[in-house]
Amino acid sequence: MKKHTNNFLLPILVFTGMILSCVSSVKAQDLLVTIQRDTLNCKMGKLAGDFYPIEFQWDDKLMTGTIHRDSVLFYRKNMFRSINDNRLRPWYPIVSLGIHVGGGRQFGQLRVGLTEDFKPKEADSSDRGLFYAGTDLVVYLSALTGYGLKYHYRSMLGGDIRQNYIGPMISFRFWDNKRKNHWVMHGSVGYGRMVHHNAMIKIGTKDPEPITLTANSLAGDIGVGYNLKLSRNISSQFKLSLTIAYPDHVRIFDYSRINPGGATPAPDISGYCQNMNSVNLSVGFEFH
């Protein structure tokens, strides 16, 4: 069930972001500046021949008309919050969807299996590299602050150890002087889950068999990144994040498979518990 949930989570987030972005675009209004330096809060359509169709409000009435392209000095899409708003500022709320991939390094306690007497096997330094993939869905209610949902997936030992995290997040943006690129900082507290496949265990005189170990934990994630704007709706992002979690219990998920009928009591493997701490470096894109 968990595997199917992970497979469907990302498409759902993408679809939600697209729907919310479409709603924002419909309500937002455009800035039109004529060659006489007059400005107008309006909704501009596509150029038809030599004329732009426009829709605007005049004396509290919704009006429609056209303007010749030679009379247009320039126009900027979605500069006003609504048809009743004359403040020149970006449309808020803004929905942002970030997708990142990269790598990282596990630190602290790390186990790679069990010995025949059910003692945890310590990992080597070469076992600590991990693959990282994550996504952030944030709604920015102002130029600075946004709230949303964060998810990431990490794997080690060729996928034998898999870790998932999901939780609410708060994000802060710090813009440059030209209000084009910005630094971003986020913090999140949520749910962490570790699944260790192919950990070996030996019961009595049987040959060692692979088992699956699971652990759940309250987890946290903090990060800092830099967004480099590529176009109006796409930015590249470089992010450094820190994940922290300390599971206090681990269980053998499929012990009944190798111990049918419960003839042998489950071994005490409480010493196996490892943390889920890591530093992650990732690159990706943000759609807004």
Side-chain angles (χ1 to χ4, degrees), residues 7-34:
N7 291 340
F8 286 109
L9 179 61
L10 184 56
I12 291 173
L13 294 179
V14 173
F15 178 75
T16 302
M18 292 175 61
I19 293 298
L20 293 176
S21 296
C22 290
V23 172
S24 298
S25 297
V26 169
K27 294 182 178 180
Q29 297 290 299
D30 309 327
L31 169 67
L32 169 65
V33 181
T34 71

Side-chain angles (χ1 to χ4, degrees), residues 104 127-133 153-164:
D127 298 322
R128 296 182 179 274
L130 59 88
F131 168 77
Y132 174 93
Y153 165 83
R154 304 182 307 159
S155 67
M156 292 179 287
L157 302 180
D160 282 352
I161 297 179
R162 303 175 185 178
Q163 299 173 357
N164 292 273

Side-chain angles (χ1 to χ4, degrees), residues 107-157:
F107 61 91
Q109 200 174 55
L110 178 62
R111 314 298 197 188
V112 294
L114 295 167
T115 64
E116 291 189 2
D117 56 355
F118 309 121
K119 301 299 183 182
K121 294 180 180 178
E122 295 286 344
D124 296 328
S125 177
S126 59
D127 298 322
R128 296 182 179 274
L130 59 88
F131 168 77
Y132 174 93
T135 181
D136 306 330
L137 180 63
V138 185
V139 178
Y140 285 98
L141 303 180
S142 70
L144 173 64
T145 309
Y147 304 90
L149 186 69
K150 177 177 181 59
Y151 167 80
H152 71 236
Y153 165 83
R154 304 182 307 159
S155 67
M156 292 179 287
L157 302 180

Side-chain angles (χ1 to χ4, degrees), residues 206-278:
K206 296 181 180 179
D207 293 332
E209 296 187 57
I211 57 171
T212 297
L213 305 176
T214 63
N216 305 306
S217 176
L218 179 69
D221 190 280
I222 58 175
V224 59
Y226 188 75
N227 277 38
L228 185 64
K229 194 168 186 178
L230 302 179
S231 70
R232 179 174 179 80
N233 299 113
I234 302 177
S235 299
S236 61
Q237 187 176 81
F238 307 88
K239 181 181 286 188
L240 180 67
S241 62
L242 172 67
T243 303
I244 300 176
Y246 292 93
D248 59 2
H249 177 74
V250 63
R251 73 185 189 95
I252 302 175
F253 180 75
D254 53 352
Y255 188 67
S256 60
R257 173 179 59 84
I258 60 176
N259 184 36
T264 304
D268 179 12
I269 57 170
S270 57
Y272 187 90
C273 272
Q274 63 191 39
N275 61 52
M276 297 167 59
N277 303 340
S278 71

